[in-house]
Every structure is written in structure tokens, then in C-alpha cells.
Amino acid sequence: MNHAARRIGRSLALVLPVVLVLSGTLAVTRVPWATSPSDSQVLTASAEKASTQAKSRAPQDVLRDRLVAELQEENPSAALTSLQKEMSRKPSLAKHCASIARALGRAAVKKYGAAHRAHRYSRPVCDTSFAYGVAQMN
């Protein structure tokens, strides 16, 4: 009899936690007295969260856009000087310097037309990435 009780105890020890977990999980997902948000509310909340995440932009993208705007308002020299200052101020952005300088080169060609006019503003900021951006537009 001791052996049978031990066997029943082992079976219950294995089966009972599984039954409790499954029944508890099912009970939590379908509680009749809880007011659950409609599917549209859940989707709206998810969409709002996604749009908030999309609005927060990477620092290098913000810097690039600011420098391109500066290039449009002033000239490539001013934008390249600001880029150089920003790289000194925030070394963590240095890995993005070349791509930003290329974007400035492309923007200079769009503003001044011919690549040879844009090349006049070339500087040794981020190697020759500005000049490469100018050359890409040809």
C-alpha cells in the first residue's frame, strides 16, 4: 500500500502543476468581470507607440539634416566647419562623419549645379567624403 500511495503522489506531483498552470492561464485570459479594451483600442495604442518611436531619430540623422539645411542657407564651407566642430564635440558621431560629409557633397551639387563649382568647397573633413559625395552626383 505504501508503494501505491507513493506512485499516486508522484503522478499528482507531475500532473497537478501542469493542470494548475493551464487552468490559471486560461482563467487570466478570460475573466468575465474585467472590461477589456476593444481590438481597435489595442491597435490604436500600438500605432501611437510606433509613431512615437519613429519620431525619435538617431543623432546622426538629426545632425545630417541640420547641416544640409545650413548648407542650403549659407554655403558648404559653413556646413563643413560645423561638421568638423560637431565631430570634435561629440566623438561618438565620428563613425557617421563620412556618410554625413557625402550627403553634404550631394547637397552642394544640387544647390550649385555643376560638380566643379561644388568641389571648390571641399575640405579634409572626414577624409575626402565630401568630394566623393560631389563626384557621385556626376
Side-chain angles (χ1 to χ4, degrees):
M1 183 153 144
N2 198 8
H3 178 57
R6 188 174 292 156
R7 213 170 116 191
I8 292 172
R10 283 185 188 162
S11 296
L12 282 176
L14 292 174
V15 173
L16 192 59
V18 172
V19 170
L20 289 174
V21 167
L22 288 176
S23 63
T25 303
L26 293 175
V28 170
T29 59
R30 297 287 179 197
V31 179
W33 64 83
T35 57
S36 63
S38 68
D39 289 340
S40 64
Q41 288 174 329
V42 172
L43 291 175
T44 303
S46 297
E48 287 173 5
K49 183 178 177 185
S51 67
T52 302
Q53 290 172 345
K55 287 180 185 174
S56 60
R57 297 177 46 209
Q60 66 271 12
D61 296 336
V62 173
L63 176 62
R64 183 195 62 237
D65 292 348
R66 182 173 57 92
L67 293 175
V68 167
E70 183 177 351
L71 183 145
Q72 297 301 326
E73 291 173 14
E74 296 180 37
N75 60 46
S77 290
L80 288 169
T81 299
S82 295
L83 176 61
Q84 195 167 17
K85 287 178 184 175
E86 199 65 28
M87 290 302 118
S88 297
R89 197 172 71 79
K90 286 187 179 176
S92 62
L93 291 173
K95 62 184 173 187
H96 304 287
C97 186
S99 66
I100 294 170
R102 279 192 302 272
L104 291 174
R106 291 189 296 269
V109 172
K110 286 179 184 175
K111 180 177 180 179
Y112 294 103
H116 66 278
R117 289 182 61 196
H119 260 294
R120 291 185 301 178
Y121 296 98
S122 190
R123 295 237 194 104
V125 179
C126 306
D127 300 324
T128 57
S129 298
F130 178 82
Y132 181 70
V134 169
Q136 280 183 318
M137 295 302 286
N138 289 332

